[in-house]
């Protein structure tokens, strides 16, 4: 069975007491307003944290301050609540399974972490990509970062709620 964003939202709502969530209100599309531990967040519900870049939230006019996802698999400039690990990651924090990006960049998660760090402007990732990688690998990372930095045609975020109001 493949998980959908609706499943992630349902899982989040079922566990809301675990994360000290006092209120959740739908804003639009995948974006919700919520209060967690007394702090207000605008959270986007995604399958994994790399979708923050794939769905172009990092180039949006109004960037969410929290990503609620099932799996945390890249570095983001916003906080991440990973439901799979039950972990709250601060901005620019590495996923739990990554300890050394340079060594682990050969895995899918490792390459997504390196790319996320590069897009966020982390100096160590920019140095690694620009000076230490072979030419073809560098060009592949730079092309992917450039493609993720461009807006796509059409609506940037769906206006349909994930769950119907009850």
């Amino acid at each position: 069975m493949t998980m959908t964003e609706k499943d992630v939202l349902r899982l989040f709502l079922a566990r809301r007491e675990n994360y000290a969530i006092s209120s959740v209100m739908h804003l639009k599309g995948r974006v919700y307003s919520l209060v967690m531990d007394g702090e207000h967040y605008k959270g986007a519900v995604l399958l994994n944290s790399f979708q923050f870049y794939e769905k172009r939230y990092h180039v949006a006019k109004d960037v969410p301050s929290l990503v609620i996802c099932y799996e945390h698999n890249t570095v983001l400039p916003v906080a991440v609540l990973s439901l799979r690990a039950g972990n709250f990651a601060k901005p620019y924090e590495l996923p739990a399974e990554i300890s050394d990006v340079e060594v682990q960049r050969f895995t899918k998660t490792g390459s997504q972490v390196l790319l996320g760090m590069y897009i966020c402007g982390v100096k160590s990732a920019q140095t690694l990509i620009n000076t230490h990688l072979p030419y073809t690998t560098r060009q592949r990372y730079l092309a992917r970062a450039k493609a993720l930095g461009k807006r796509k045609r059409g609506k940037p975020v769906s206006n349909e709620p994930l769950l119907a109001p009850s």
Side-chain angles (χ1 to χ4, degrees):
M1 181 182 123
T2 58
M3 185 168 262
T4 65
E5 290 165 350
K6 286 181 184 180
D7 297 328
V8 173
L9 180 61
R10 288 185 183 118
L11 186 62
F12 170 69
L13 293 174
R15 296 181 181 177
R16 65 197 275 176
E17 289 83 27
N18 298 354
Y19 304 113
I21 308 293
S22 59
S23 73
V24 177
M25 187 177 76
H26 180 258
L27 295 177
K28 67 177 184 175
R30 298 172 185 88
V31 181
Y32 291 79
S33 173
L34 58 112
V35 178
M36 182 167 55
D37 285 331
E39 282 194 53
H40 293 276
Y41 290 98
K42 191 183 287 188
V45 177
L46 304 170
L47 287 175
N48 58 61
S49 56
F50 194 71
Q51 284 188 332
F52 182 80
Y53 297 118
E54 291 175 330
K55 295 191 181 295
R56 309 307 199 266
Y57 280 103
H58 65 294
V59 294
K61 290 178 184 176
D62 194 15
V63 179
S65 57
L66 174 70
V67 169
I68 303 159
C69 62
Y70 182 70
E71 181 182 15
H72 179 38
N73 60 356
T74 192
V75 172
L76 295 181
V78 298
V80 179
L81 179 62
S82 171
L83 300 177
R84 180 178 179 197
N87 184 27
F88 181 79
K90 294 181 174 85
Y92 304 102
E93 191 173 313
L94 292 173
E97 65 266 12
I98 300 293
S99 56
D100 185 3
V101 178
E102 191 168 354
V103 173
Q104 294 177 294
R105 73 176 175 85
F106 299 103
T107 65
K108 181 178 180 180
T109 302
S111 67
Q112 288 178 340
V113 167
L114 181 58
L115 186 58
M117 289 172 70
Y118 184 83
I119 292 171
C120 286
V122 177
K123 186 71 173 167
S124 61
Q126 291 182 341
T127 302
L128 175 64
I129 289 176
N130 292 329
T131 60
H132 298 300
L133 294 183
Y135 176 77
T136 55
T137 308
R138 178 181 325 127
Q139 293 306 313
R140 195 169 50 247
Y141 274 102
L142 295 177
R144 187 92 192 272
K146 184 177 179 181
L148 288 172
K150 290 183 178 177
R151 297 182 191 274
K152 286 185 174 180
R153 286 182 61 175
K155 295 180 188 175
V157 180
S158 170
N159 287 326
E160 298 299 317
L162 291 178
L163 293 177
S166 52

